[in-house]
Amino acid sequence: MIYLLSFPRSGNHAVRFVAEFVTARPTRGCSSGDVPLRDNAYPTLPGILSHVDATAPPVLTKTHAPNVVRDDVTGLVVIVRDYRECVVKFTDYMKRADDVVAACVRQYADVVRAYVRCRVPKLYLSYERFLRDPRTTACKLFSFLSRQEPNTFDD
């Protein structure tokens, strides 16, 4: 199982969309309430993911919690966003700040620490780079998902 690990508001939906679009396989979330992208995403682009085979095994399993990356992990994709941007966006999204900021910074650091400690093939993606050069990022992601090149870093 390949995990997609990120801090909230860091671009995991964008990575999931690209993964589903190019592989025609679904992604899934770790929580039972996570709705498949093809069922809830991109209402302005109806049918954009209609070619995804919902019965195929998931190409990625999304999580925000590094501790759920289990022994069955065969690969890890981490997408990070500038920590100042995503912590501010997330605390704004949660509608509170004082009690959340320190926890957010710790959780962000936990995501980076999980990447560093991971001993299986892994891919590190930057949200900002993804916005600047989506084609290159999509190609790196597809290449990783196809071959699981070890320790690929998107600089």
Side-chain angles (χ1 to χ4, degrees):
M1 178 179 303
I2 302 174
Y3 281 92
L4 169 61
L5 175 62
S6 69
F7 182 82
R9 320 306 290 176
S10 293
N12 74 63
H13 268 83
V15 171
R16 289 176 69 188
F17 173 82
V18 170
E20 289 193 15
F21 188 80
V22 300
T23 66
R25 289 174 51 197
T27 60
R28 72 172 187 193
C30 280
S31 70
S32 60
D34 193 68
V35 178
L37 284 186
R38 63 176 296 192
D39 297 337
N40 77 343
Y42 312 100
T44 57
L45 301 169
I48 190 92
L49 295 175
S50 62
H51 67 288
V52 174
D53 179 1
T55 64
V59 65
L60 289 172
T61 298
K62 172 212 103 174
T63 184
H64 295 307
N67 61 332
V68 303
V69 178
R70 301 182 302 261
D71 293 336
D72 60 349
V73 62
T74 59
L76 180 68
V77 176
V78 170
I79 182 159
V80 297
R81 183 178 191 174
D82 181 297
Y83 75 93
R84 297 164 296 191
E85 187 71 20
C86 63
V87 168
V88 168
K89 295 276 188 201
F90 186 64
T91 54
D92 186 49
Y93 172 76
M94 296 299 290
K95 305 291 187 229
R96 59 184 203 252
D98 295 339
D99 56 339
V100 175
V101 173
C104 286
V105 171
R106 278 191 302 276
Q107 184 181 354
Y108 185 94
D110 288 345
V111 168
V112 175
R113 195 173 5 266
Y115 175 82
V116 171
R117 291 179 177 165
C118 183
R119 298 293 173 235
V120 297
K122 56 190 176 181
L123 173 65
Y124 179 95
L125 299 173
S126 158
Y127 178 76
E128 290 78 13
R129 167 91 186 235
F130 182 64
L131 293 179
R132 280 193 316 271
D133 189 2
R135 170 176 253 147
T136 298
T137 302
C139 288
K140 286 181 181 192
L141 178 62
F142 182 68
S143 177
F144 179 81
L145 294 174
S146 299
R147 294 186 300 235
Q148 285 195 24
E149 296 175 353
N151 308 333
T152 305
F153 192 84
D154 179 27
D155 51 4

